[in-house]
Amino acid sequence: MRPLDQEARRDELAASLDEVRRRIGRACTAAGRDQGSVTLVAVTKTYPASDVALLAGLGVTDVGENKDQEAAAKAAAVAAPLRWHFVGQLQRNKAKSVVTYADVVESVDSTRLAAALSSAATRLRERPLDVLVQVSIDGDPDRGGAITDGADPDRDLWRVAAAVDQAEGLRLSGVMAVAPLGWEPERAFATLAALADRLRAGQPAATVVSAGMSGDLEQAVRHGATHVRIGTSLLGMRNTLR
Ligand SMILES: *Cc1c(COP(=O)(O)O)cnc(C)c1O
């Protein structure tokens, strides 16, 4: 983009970032929580590396991506020090790539994926990789997320959490979820909060609750989200549905 276009884009992003921060602030106040207790993860998927650089310049510290190829290219292109969160469904053969640029993988939902990340992280990283176990709140096995009904041991939430906790090169940091379609966000995030509490009872370091997107960040903050993942409200509508 030409410098002038970049300037206009910067102003646009500054305004939407302000608004998102205000929303988070109001939600914290309403919930009686500290303003600093919620981290904003800017989900930059489908938007160019130049937008990531502009957001970094505006004080954003954490960015999220959901496709390995796109994320790897952007992480290589942006020099600013950022925490890169991988939030998409991840195939095991991409583990080797993801561990080279991601600081956090939020979408671990099987013991086999945990094993693949562990072996890649052990070989290719100096520091442990932060991992969130993605929880399927409605238990639909066809979408991403670990489940609690015991139908598939490889994807059982408690087994996945234990596998991550015991894996070399990984650090179990908490849970992530997307409110299922057709569910009241309130009910979805209350369910997630109960699971997060239960996990934390056995794993006190697993303090992260990544929940809430553009449409439901208020409900997520009310139910204890420590991280909200915001795309549309920050960057605009995406062309593709993903
Ligand atoms: C795209 C995406 C988001 C951001 O969603 P918006 O509704 O655009 O804010 C958050 N989490 C995940 C896992 C995503 O894939």
Side-chain angles (χ1 to χ4, degrees), residues 43 45 66 87 176 178 213-214 229-232 238 242:
V43 179
K45 63 188 181 194
N66 74 337
V87 303
M176 181 274 255
V178 177
M213 317 200 301
S214 292
R229 307 178 309 271
I230 309 298
T232 311
R238 291 177 295 274
R242 63 184 186 122

Side-chain angles (χ1 to χ4, degrees), residues 41-45 47 64-66 86-89 106-107 134 176-178 210 212-216 228-238 241-242:
V41 179
V43 179
T44 47
K45 63 188 181 194
Y47 285 93
E65 289 284 338
N66 74 337
F86 192 85
V87 303
Q89 289 214 18
E106 298 204 6
S107 44
Q134 182 177 350
M176 181 274 255
V178 177
S210 173
M213 317 200 301
S214 292
D216 54 21
V228 292
R229 307 178 309 271
I230 309 298
T232 311
S233 290
L234 269 182
L235 293 124
M237 291 290 280
R238 291 177 295 274
L241 257 186
R242 63 184 186 122

